[in-house]
């Protein structure tokens, strides 16, 4: 099923970030985890299937996206909800591990709010870009956003294509979300020395 990259899609994804992922992330950060999270939505009606957040204090592989997939496959809902019929939302542009996990799980898409550059510059977490460079020899943005597995799109790239009257309310909501993530990032950075995450 084709995903229409329009204002309705962006509005719904922002709503899920603000009302479903962020409350989980607030609890996760209080436990020492990073600010990354994700959600699955049905392509058919944009209804929420599941939301989750980073849980690296339990296992360093439980990035927001991978922890979401873990929880999804542990749930009975996974038996009745094919991944090809879902949208994958990531709060931050997925790292190489998470991109691969999304492909292995059979998703043909992912959408993200914050970019790899945001993770480095606004969140002081440079590992995504460093991994791309050191392991794969890729500069920022150098991976194929359209490939045989999935199509990856930033929400702000979609907003930039919209008329001003549609874009402005979305940007207002996006700014509100950015502010909440900035507060959570400050909380994580101030306490990260107390956790045992290898790449904190």
């Amino acid at each position: 099923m084709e995903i229409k990259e329009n204002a309705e899609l962006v509005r719904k994804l922002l709503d899920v970030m603000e009302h479903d992922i962020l409350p989980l992330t607030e609890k996760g950060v209080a436990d020492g985890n990073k600010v990354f999270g994700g959600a699955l939505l049905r392509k058919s009606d944009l209804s929420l299937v599941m939301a989750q957040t980073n849980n690296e204090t339990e296992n360093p592989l439980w990035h927001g996206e991978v922890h979401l997939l873990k929880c999804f496959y542990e749930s009975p809902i996974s038996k009745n909800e094919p991944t090809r019929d879902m949208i994958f939302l990531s709060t931050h542009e997925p790292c190489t591990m998470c991109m691969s996990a999304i492909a292995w799980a059979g998703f043909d898409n992912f959408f993200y709010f914050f970019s790899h550059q945001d993770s480095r510059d606004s969140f002081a977490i440079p590992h995504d870009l460093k991994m791309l460079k050191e392991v794969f020899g890729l500069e920022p943005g150098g991976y194929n956003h359209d490939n045989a597995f999935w199509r990856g799109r930033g929400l702000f790239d979609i907003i930039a294509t919209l008329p001003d009257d549609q874009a402005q309310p979305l940007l207002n909501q996006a700014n509100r979300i950015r502010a909440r993530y900035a507060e959570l990032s400050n909380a994580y950075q101030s306490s990260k020395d107390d956790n045992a995450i290898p790449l904190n």
Side-chain angles (χ1 to χ4, degrees):
M1 179 183 297
E2 182 182 355
I3 302 169
K4 295 180 180 177
E5 297 179 3
N6 56 22
E8 179 187 8
L9 173 68
V10 176
R11 186 178 304 109
K12 181 60 180 181
L13 297 182
L14 292 178
D15 284 346
V16 168
M17 279 188 67
E18 187 168 22
H19 304 298
D20 298 289
I21 300 174
L22 263 168
L24 297 172
T25 301
E26 288 171 351
K27 294 176 185 174
V29 168
D31 291 335
N33 292 292
K34 293 192 184 86
V35 296
F36 308 123
L40 308 178
L41 296 86
R42 295 174 183 88
K43 291 180 182 178
S44 59
D45 60 4
L46 303 183
S47 60
L48 179 66
V49 176
M50 182 177 287
Q52 261 304 336
T53 193
N54 183 287
N55 194 17
E56 286 182 78
T57 55
E58 179 181 305
N59 182 325
L61 299 183
W62 296 161
H63 290 196
E65 299 91 335
V66 174
H67 190 237
L68 170 62
L69 290 172
K70 170 190 177 289
C71 294
F72 172 70
Y73 282 108
E74 289 175 348
S75 168
I77 199 169
S78 65
K79 305 296 185 285
N80 303 312
E81 298 275 358
T83 55
R84 67 178 176 273
D85 294 336
M86 287 187 228
I87 291 169
F88 199 108
L89 169 62
S90 182
T91 59
H92 296 66
E93 191 170 8
C95 73
T96 52
M97 176 181 73
C98 293
M99 287 182 190
S100 296
I102 289 167
W104 281 108
F107 291 88
D108 63 6
N109 70 87
F110 65 79
F111 295 86
Y112 59 90
F113 184 88
F114 294 106
S115 69
H116 285 153
Q117 289 90 334
D118 289 325
S119 294
R120 178 192 63 198
D121 300 338
S122 300
F123 294 90
I125 301 175
H127 313 304
D128 301 330
L129 287 174
K130 187 173 182 181
M131 196 80 66
L132 281 168
K133 179 66 173 179
E134 294 295 326
V135 179
F136 300 100
L138 296 174
E139 298 298 333
Y143 69 92
N144 293 325
H145 289 70
D146 293 273
N147 56 64
F149 297 104
W150 38 250
R151 175 180 172 90
R153 284 293 175 273
L155 296 186
F156 289 99
D157 295 330
I158 300 172
I159 293 173
T161 68
L162 300 175
D164 289 346
D165 63 323
Q166 293 182 24
Q168 194 56 55
L170 300 174
L171 291 172
N172 293 342
Q173 183 175 13
N175 287 334
R176 190 166 66 239
I177 291 170
R178 276 187 184 277
R180 289 184 67 188
Y181 272 98
E183 293 172 1
L184 290 173
S185 177
N186 290 336
Y188 172 76
Q189 290 297 327
S190 67
S191 65
K192 71 178 183 179
D193 290 341
D194 298 328
N195 69 40
I197 299 172
L199 296 179
N200 65 8

